[in-house]
Structures are given as C-alpha cells and as structure tokens.
Amino acid sequence: MKKISTLLLSLGLLVFSSCEDDLDQVPISSGSVPTFYKTADDFTQALTAVYSSLRYSTAGGYPDRLYNLAETRSDNLYAVADIAGVREWEPINNFATTLASNSYIAEAWNTNYASIFRANTFLDQLATNGTTVDDATRARYEAEAKFLRAFFYFDLVRYFGKVPILDKPLGADEAAKVSRSPVADVYQLIMADLQTAISGLPVSYTGSGNVFRATSGAAKTLLALVHMTRSGPTYGIEGPGLAVNEYAQAAKLLNEVIASGRYSMLPSYTNIFSYTNENNAEVIFDVQYVSGGQNLGATYPGQIVSDDLFTALRIPFSSGSPDARFASNNLVNSYPTGDVRKAATFTLNYTNITGFNETRPTITKYLNPSLRGVSRFDWPINFIVMRYTDVLMMRAECILHGAGGTQADVDNIVNQVRARAGISGTLTGVTMAQLMEERRREFAGEGLRWHDLVREGMALTTINAWITQDDVKRRMNTIVPNYVIYPVPLTELTTVPNLYEQNPGY
C-alpha cells in the first residue's frame, strides 16, 4: 500500500500545531506573520502544514465537512434524528433558517480561512525569504500553495457565496476592515491561482513521500469544476452559479486530463476504496490518513454511522446509540438489479445489541472493520477528493451543455460506468437527468450529490420532490433558493458589527 509516511504526516501535524498561534486566522481575529521561515526545510514543513489543513479541524477535516454540509443537505441522507433537536446535523438536513450558530457551518468558515492564512503566509515568506529554496522547488511550492488556496476559496464560495478576499497575511485590525467580495471577484482569484498551479505543478511525483501533493492533473480537474460551477444557474441569489456558460473551457481541461494517460478506471468498483489499494490509477487527488492513535487517522468513516452498527460489527467503539444519518430509501432503491455498487456502498440492515433488527440503510463505503484503528475516529483510509470516473462524467455533462463532443460520447461514458457496476444492457440518448442519477449512484457517500444538484439547477425540484416522498417524520422545510447557500456564521456577524451582511433567508 502506497501511503504518505507517518513521519511526514507527523511532521506536518507538528508544524500545524506549533505554529497554530501564529497561523490561525479567520477574517476577524488576531494574527501575525510568523518568522520561522529560515531554511529550505522550514518551507517544506510549512507547506506540509497547509496540506494538513485538509485533514485536521474541530469537526474532523475536509471529508467530514462534505458529510456535514453537502451529503447531509442532499437527498442521499435522511438525517432526521430519532429525538428532535439533539443532533447538530438535523437542522442542516431540515433546511432550518436558524443555522447561523451551527458549529458545522462555523467550522467551514473558520477552518477554510485559517487554511487560507497559512497559504498566504507561506506565499508571502516564499517571496521574501525563499532564496534558501532552489528555483525549481520554489516555483513548484508556489504552485502547490496556490492550488490549496484556490481549493479553500472554492469550498467557501460553494457554501457561502460572497466571502472576504484575503490574498496576503493580515493582522486583526486590517482583517476587520475587509468586507465580503462579489462571487465573481472571488472566482477571479481562484482561477488565477489554478492557472499558476497548472503551469507550475508536475504531472506526477517520484517517491512515496510525495504522494499527497497536488499535480497538474488535479489543478486542471479543479479548474474544470470551477468553470462548470460558475456556469450553473444563479437561482436569483449571490451563490456559486453565475450562468456564464464556460462548459467549453471545462471540457478542454477535462480532455487534457484524459489524454495525459496518467489515470484510468479500475476494473473493480470496490477496489477504488480498498484499504490495500490506495493511491490507485483512479485517484487524482486525495486526503491522506494513517491510523494508530497518533491523531493522523480519518474520522469521516464513522461520522454518519450509528453506535449500534459498530456494536453489530464487533467494533468496541460505541455507547449504544441507534441514532445515525441513514441513507435515504430513495437513493437505495434507485440502484438497478445486479448493481455491485449497492452492496459496496451500504449496510442495508443489521441486528443491534438488544436483538432489534435495524432496517434503515447506512452508508458504509469506507468501513473495513478488520483494518480499523484504535477508535471509531481513527481509520487508515484516504479520502478521494477527485477521481478519474468523475472526470469522465463531468466531460459528459459538458457535452450535454454544448461543449465539443457527441451524444455517442456521452452514452459511451455512462455505459462504461454502468458496465463496471455489473448492469446489463446499454443506454442510448442519455439525458442530463439520467446522467445525474448515474452520478448519484456512482458517487454516493463521496459528498458530490448536493453540489451536483446545485450546479445543474436541480436542487429545488429534486429535493422538494424527495421531501414529499421520504420525510416520514415531517420535520423538513421546503427548500427555497436562499437555502442553496448557508448563512454567514453568527460569530462573524457579531465580532465587528455591520462588516458583513447576512445571506437572505437566515
């Protein structure tokens, strides 16, 4: 198993922790520029710490955030708690209007801005003190840091719409004067950073110690998704969609990733997520984890699973609670006969410790009890952020929006995905609705569904129809355009009054 070394991850965590007082900065907070950048090794450690931002936060890291704010928001999970009002994720699932004080939403804002500050500080020090690093490495380090900064800003735009632009490290007084910028302006920074990343990043790296680093393929894939997201509808709000029709630009980048020959679809769907087959040909960019009780393990595999299921799997990490974010019946029932992805993605039922048979399905795509760590929050499995099948299916999406390609190309991509899943027969004349349903089944549990619906203008109609069908507890609100994005966290509104305005509807 190729895995970033525990030593290197520990190094990143050490830098992350020791510099946290200097580097932690949300737009409104204290912050100062650190002075530890003196040697080439200092820069290597500091850049590793920026990558570590993807793994570590108060709520578990980037994969956990996808579960909390994207998967839970979608029709993939029916995240209505057994007892109303006791779970932080339930109001997110229910489209509540009182989310400004929700800790998951605050985590998304705070962690992304702390990460941006780390990237900004690194870039600032690289420009002023970077002569200790050789020219080629310095150019690559700049490209890596800008890829990460773009990644963090894109995450913010998709969740909050307008956000403050900070492209250099600022102190508290300066940050307290920076208001939210229009979405179009934030995208300009994202796209400029990704262009630098594309030109400065290698196609691949040598050595297992570099397996976590971003490549030009990752930067192209992310920029393609940015173009597609910008091209989505506006919903009449200041959200991630600008209706700019950049599908041709996205398709060009996706075609380059495909033509590179660096990636391929694995023959087996389950092998994509195997604990013993990480960093495989399907992976374009992932978040790396190592278990063993060193605070380097993943928390996301156990994030939406009930204690009862852990007990049923003979995993002694539970307190006996049956509460969980169960998969929606609508999702589970959408899989055709013979689809191997269904068994690979869900535990459909289990018997709990009292002998009760739980029939609500659970997404267990990333659980391997035999290779667990020391707790339910210590798993060794990497989280795949971008994979090759997604590139192919995004290309099909662009073609259906008028980018270069044919209907036969779209059909071929979808039929490749279905054939690997074990589905007999082929489709012709695949529509956007069919493509989105195939994406839903292929990427269930990977945090893509909500963003897919928003990008394609399907969020309102799809979610409201699903609520009518699946909300048996009748706690979910009808989704309206304002709920496509989240509120600005209350702490940001109150620290410097009148600096930020709240998003409408909250």
Side-chain angles (χ1 to χ4, degrees):
M1 170 172 41
K2 285 186 172 180
K3 172 80 76 167
I4 179 174
S5 68
T6 302
L7 175 62
L8 187 56
L9 271 175
S10 300
L11 183 64
L13 186 62
L14 174 63
V15 175
F16 183 90
S17 302
S18 63
C19 302
E20 194 163 347
D21 290 341
D22 288 326
L23 295 178
D24 265 344
Q25 182 186 24
V26 294
I28 306 170
S29 72
S30 61
S32 61
V33 179
T35 58
F36 65 90
Y37 295 86
K38 296 177 181 178
T39 68
D41 190 52
D42 290 338
F43 283 96
T44 301
Q45 293 181 38
L47 183 56
T48 302
V50 183
Y51 278 102
S52 292
S53 300
L54 295 168
R55 290 191 308 105
Y56 175 86
S57 79
T58 56
Y62 178 75
D64 304 76
R65 188 181 313 133
L66 279 176
Y67 273 152
N68 294 332
L69 299 188
E71 203 77 351
T72 296
R73 199 74 158 172
S74 79
D75 53 348
N76 281 357
L77 295 179
Y78 184 53
V80 177
D82 287 342
I83 301 174
V86 299
R87 301 293 184 181
E88 195 91 7
W89 34 262
E90 183 171 8
I92 291 173
N93 175 89
N94 293 351
F95 297 96
T97 60
T98 55
L99 290 173
S101 59
N102 187 282
S103 65
Y104 292 147
I105 292 169
E107 183 278 330
W109 185 285
N110 294 341
T111 300
N112 274 312
Y113 270 111
S115 305
I116 288 166
F117 185 74
R118 293 184 186 95
N120 284 340
T121 301
F122 177 86
L123 289 165
D124 178 71
Q125 291 296 301
L126 191 67
T128 57
N129 299 321
T131 53
T132 59
V133 182
D134 67 82
D135 290 346
T137 302
R138 186 164 64 249
R140 175 168 64 81
Y141 278 6
E142 178 188 3
E144 288 184 77
K146 287 190 173 180
F147 168 86
L148 291 167
R149 184 170 68 178
F151 188 98
F152 300 135
Y153 266 118
F154 185 49
D155 203 42
L156 285 165
V157 163
R158 292 205 288 182
Y159 289 130
F160 299 105
K162 296 193 305 178
V163 293
I165 294 177
L166 295 99
D167 58 1
K168 59 185 177 181
L170 299 179
D173 292 342
E174 295 173 294
K177 299 175 184 177
V178 180
S179 59
R180 297 167 73 195
S181 294
V183 170
D185 292 349
V186 183
Y187 272 132
Q188 290 306 311
L189 175 62
I190 292 170
M191 293 188 294
D193 277 356
L194 289 175
Q195 289 292 356
T196 299
I198 288 170
S199 61
L201 291 173
V203 174
S204 62
Y205 296 85
T206 58
S208 60
N210 289 316
V211 72
F212 68 99
R213 297 186 184 279
T215 62
S216 58
K220 288 178 180 180
T221 301
L222 182 56
L223 183 54
L225 182 58
V226 168
H227 282 306
M228 293 171 68
T229 303
R230 281 165 47 86
S231 300
T234 68
Y235 292 90
I237 63 171
E238 294 182 281
L242 300 178
V244 292
N245 192 14
E246 293 176 350
Y247 297 104
Q249 293 94 315
K252 179 178 182 296
L253 291 161
L254 296 169
N255 286 335
E256 290 173 4
V257 174
I258 295 167
S260 73
R262 297 296 308 178
Y263 315 101
S264 62
M265 285 181 65
L266 296 192
S268 167
Y269 182 78
T270 55
N271 278 351
I272 300 170
F273 313 99
S274 170
Y275 282 46
T276 57
N277 192 38
E278 295 181 296
N279 307 306
N280 56 65
E282 185 106 5
V283 179
I284 296 174
F285 184 68
D286 63 2
V287 182
Q288 301 269 322
Y289 294 98
V290 176
S291 64
Q294 305 171 73
N295 293 321
L296 303 174
T299 58
Y300 74 89
Q303 189 73 271
I304 62 173
V305 178
S306 72
D307 287 349
D308 273 3
L309 178 53
F310 277 112
T311 302
L313 293 173
R314 302 294 188 269
I315 301 176
F317 306 147
S318 65
S319 58
S321 171
D323 229 352
R325 283 175 267 188
F326 293 100
S328 74
N329 291 326
N330 178 272
L331 169 61
V332 173
N333 294 336
S334 73
Y335 286 80
T337 301
D339 195 327
V340 300
R341 296 172 299 187
K342 186 173 183 177
T345 303
F346 307 101
T347 295
L348 297 178
N349 60 79
Y350 56 89
T351 302
N352 69 13
I353 195 170
T354 66
F356 174 75
N357 185 36
E358 176 61 77
T359 59
R360 290 175 293 182
T362 304
I363 293 177
T364 50
K365 195 173 204 172
Y366 302 99
L367 284 183
N368 184 335
S370 66
L371 295 176
R372 63 181 184 268
V374 300
S375 76
R376 68 177 296 172
F377 301 116
D378 182 47
W379 299 86
I381 183 68
N382 298 342
F383 182 83
I384 303 173
V385 179
M386 307 173 198
R387 61 182 176 97
Y388 185 66
T389 303
D390 194 13
V391 167
L392 295 176
M393 298 187 84
M394 286 195 295
R395 177 174 179 256
E397 189 175 339
C398 290
I399 293 171
L400 289 176
H401 277 290
T406 67
Q407 180 67 53
D409 293 329
V410 175
D411 296 346
N412 181 56
I413 289 169
V414 172
N415 285 320
Q416 283 185 66
V417 174
R418 288 168 60 87
R420 180 174 66 181
I423 304 170
S424 60
T426 59
L427 298 179
T428 58
V430 172
T431 65
M432 185 64 74
Q434 288 175 306
L435 177 64
M436 288 298 108
E437 280 303 298
E438 288 300 333
R439 286 185 59 85
R440 184 189 190 192
R441 289 185 282 268
E442 175 72 15
F443 303 113
E446 298 180 47
L448 275 61
R449 175 63 170 175
W450 170 252
H451 296 308
D452 285 356
L453 291 175
V454 171
R455 183 177 69 246
E456 278 306 321
M458 300 168 64
L460 304 188
T461 54
T462 301
I463 296 296
N464 283 330
W466 167 68
I467 289 173
T468 300
Q469 177 188 26
D470 265 15
D471 183 22
V472 295
K473 295 184 180 179
R474 299 293 180 260
R475 294 188 200 159
M476 299 182 68
N477 293 323
T478 299
I479 179 176
V480 298
N482 288 332
Y483 302 162
V484 167
I485 54 177
Y486 285 105
V488 176
L490 185 61
T491 52
E492 298 301 321
L493 296 176
T494 57
T495 302
V496 179
N498 303 316
L499 178 63
Y500 305 146
E501 75 285 0
Q502 184 55 279
N503 284 331
Y506 295 100

